[in-house]
Amino acid sequence: MREWYFKLAFFKRRIYRHAFNLHMNAKKILESADVDAVVIYNGSNEDLNFYYFTRLLYGGIFEGSLAVISEEGVKVITSILEEQSAKKGSNEVLIYRTGEEREKLLREAVGSANRIGLNYASLSMSDFNRLKKIMGEREYVDVSEKIMEMRMIKDEEELKNMREAAKIASEVADIMPDFMKEGIREYELAARLGYEMFRRGAEDFAFTTIMAFGENAAEPHYLSGARKLKRGDFVLMDFGARYHHYNSDITRTFVFGRASEEQKEMYYTVLEAQRIGIEMLRAGVNGRDVDMKVKEYINSTKYKDRMIHSTGHGLGLAVHDHIGLTSLKDLILKENMVVTVEPGVYIPGFGGVRIEDDVRILKDGVEVLTSAKKNELIEV
Ligand SMILES: [Mn+2]
């Protein structure tokens, strides 16, 4: 009798192991967080981990949907509205028509799991309380950091989407000088930029475009406004495309008309700082050291203390996916992480230069995902 029981258990495990092969991320999170199940709720706050675990990257919004990750695989609980989108994936799909049905499906999907992992980083307090009320007395564990650790390392499908997102943004950066003319407003040029990304297949902006002319380029997070383009202005554009939920993030700085000596010096200082940063990157290097080295170089020039942000950040499903190259924190870089490298210098009232590229960390170097021209300051 006992022997039969073990045989059955072994057989069941084999089935599950087969399911695991389909869901590497699911397997990993259950093991690393030591939980019976993970419940991801794409509720009042969007939870990007929903896409990470379900791989439902090709259409569907999944508002209010849940992903339940357990030994049995990934179950998607979604409304009838999203049924067709949900069935594009390889998850089990459970459809609800009412809130009550959704609650019932969630209770069934978690079954007898005791330790439940939740993503505390994006659950709102009210959603957290609601989930606990639906699932009842169990042990709830924060798995947000464990998930983030996994998300830092990109797989082939993620890299494929990120390469495409980077390609779209790079092509657009290269053609933007064609649309610069005297008197055009920042928001007009930003609109053109968006149009050019969408017609190349971007599904969305990665974030609100920064289009800064002249003195506005001195504000690293300026958005865009009614400022008209004049001869001699810096044109700084920081933008990105989203492609199947993965983002690119690029910055290029141009001069409209002839560049002054000061503008050239700023540009080539930043370019050299970026070169120093990229050259250091490889698996095993600490992101903190890269930021320090880049700033050490900037601080050895006349632009001392003019770089007022970190050298880069992690990129992926989120634009600021995880910490990257910052002297504020240690991050040992690993193969297949994707980070931005974006030094800049800013002079209030005058302008700023930033040059940003997205790079994938390799064993002994990087793959630069973005490819827009930058080696000469472009005077339009
Ligand atoms: Mn960036």
Side-chain angles (χ1 to χ4, degrees), residues 238 249 313 320 340 342 356:
D238 182 347
D249 185 0
H313 52 84
H320 292 164
T340 66
E342 48 177 314
E356 172 178 31

Side-chain angles (χ1 to χ4, degrees), residues 8-21:
L8 187 67
F10 178 71
F11 183 60
K12 262 174 86 177
R13 229 179 9 248
R14 280 187 45 164
I15 294 175
Y16 291 158
R17 217 177 268 150
H18 175 70
F20 283 163
N21 290 337

Side-chain angles (χ1 to χ4, degrees), residues 226-240:
R227 168 75 156 77
K228 286 180 174 173
L229 189 58
K230 296 194 304 252
R231 302 236 148 249
D233 278 345
F234 273 127
V235 177
L236 184 156
M237 45 186 85
D238 182 347
F239 64 98

Side-chain angles (χ1 to χ4, degrees), residues 98-108 130 134:
T98 65
E100 273 163 33
E101 276 179 24
R102 179 172 59 175
E103 293 185 9
K104 190 165 159 277
L105 287 173
L106 175 57
R107 271 191 299 269
E108 283 169 9
R130 189 176 310 151
I134 298 167

